[in-house]
Structures are given as C-alpha cells and as structure tokens.
Amino acid sequence: MRPLLTYLVPVYWMAAFALMAAQAVSHPVGLELFPGSGVAPIVLEAGKAMNHGVSTAFSIAFGLVATLFLWTFLTAVLAAEDYPGGYEEVASIAFGGAVLMVTIALVVSAARGEGGVQGAGAFQLAALMASYVAVIAERRAFAAPKATEADQFRAAARRMALGAAHSSMLTRLVGRNAPQGGAD
C-alpha cells in the first residue's frame, strides 16, 4: 500500500495557494487574504500604484508557495527511492513558506484592523501544521524497515548461537573437573 497523504496533501495546498495567487492578481484594489472566511476583502488604500505593487507581491509570494508544494509532490512521485530523506526536506520548506505567508497575511490584516480574519488565519495555520504532521508521520510509518527473510535467518542463527554458548557455559560450571567429550 502506498502512502496516500504524501500525494494528496501537497496537491491540495498547491491548489489553495495557486488560487490565492490568482485572486491576488485579479483583484488589485481589494486583496482577499483568506477567501471563503466570510470577511470582506482587505482593501489597501495607499493609492493605485501601491495597490498594484502589494497585489503583485502577494501574488508572487503565493505563487512561489504553490510552486514549493508542486516540488513536494514531484519529489514524492519521482524521487521516493533515490533519496529517501528528500521528501521531508522539501515538505518542510514548502510548509515553512506557507506558514510564513499566512503569518504575513495575518500581520497585514491585523495592521489594517480587520475583524474576524485572525480566526480564519489561525484556522489555516492549524490546518497547515496538522497537514505537515500527518504527512511526515505517514512517511515515517511507511519508511519503517521491514524484516526480510535474511534478517529472520540472522536472528534465528543468533538465538541458536546464544543458546549453544549458554549450554556450554552451564556444562563447564557444573562439571568443571569432569572430562569433556566422553573420555574417561
């Protein structure tokens, strides 16, 4: 059985951040940092050029995070056997970038005095952290070494050798002066 969360979670977050990047580009006058939260979009009123600059910055940053999640997905699909620890490294970079972007969005919304956005942002942060923990736990569970037939033979041989050594020691302790090997 293949790990399912390893593939689905990065695709989900890639789509979520790609949608946020597209939304930031398409609405330069009102940047909705937490879509679907029921809160009015955050409108930056520093002038038209400033609005476009902030919108572009957010869209580039959200797009970069979406690309990091794409990289995580491709690492899971293509390089699983080549470099086993690579997925965890790439996933930590992607989730770290996502947490950074959500935190920046929360700071911007708090600076604007928007009400209700902090709850949506905190929920998104919690979802990111839970996703990261679930993905890494699943990877480690599937990466646990499985006992092969050769390992079982080695363990049986070791137990037999320890048993023989134990018997030999008992024989020597009990019959120290008695001749060994049946010779009188």
Side-chain angles (χ1 to χ4, degrees):
M1 184 174 154
R2 298 200 48 122
L4 187 62
L5 291 176
T6 300
Y7 303 113
L8 293 180
V9 169
V11 170
Y12 170 79
W13 286 112
M14 176 186 62
F17 279 96
L19 286 173
M20 283 191 267
Q23 191 274 330
V25 157
S26 64
H27 297 97
V29 293
L31 183 61
E32 188 174 356
L33 295 176
F34 302 105
S37 64
V39 179
I42 296 173
V43 179
L44 303 173
E45 301 173 5
K48 200 170 195 175
M50 179 67 173
N51 286 341
H52 287 289
V54 170
S55 171
T56 302
F58 270 107
S59 102
I60 289 171
F62 285 141
L64 179 63
V65 171
T67 305
L68 288 172
F69 280 111
L70 174 64
W71 182 24
T72 304
F73 173 72
L74 291 176
T75 301
V77 172
L78 301 176
E81 289 81 25
D82 297 339
Y83 185 55
Y87 180 84
E88 290 184 16
E89 291 175 10
V90 174
S92 67
I93 292 170
F95 280 102
V99 167
L100 177 69
M101 280 311 302
V102 172
T103 304
I104 289 171
L106 279 172
V107 168
V108 168
S109 65
R112 296 268 313 135
E114 298 292 329
V117 177
Q118 287 78 15
F123 181 75
Q124 198 169 16
L125 280 174
L128 278 165
M129 289 181 203
S131 297
Y132 178 72
V133 168
V135 166
I136 297 302
E138 182 185 52
R139 289 293 289 195
R140 291 188 181 166
F142 277 97
K146 297 188 175 39
T148 62
E149 194 172 321
D151 292 337
Q152 292 173 350
F153 284 134
R154 276 192 207 103
R158 185 174 186 276
R159 281 192 303 272
M160 289 171 47
L162 286 173
H166 182 71
S167 296
S168 174
M169 290 295 288
L170 284 178
T171 304
R172 289 179 186 228
L173 285 174
V174 172
R176 237 185 265 177
N177 296 332
Q180 297 289 327
D184 289 37

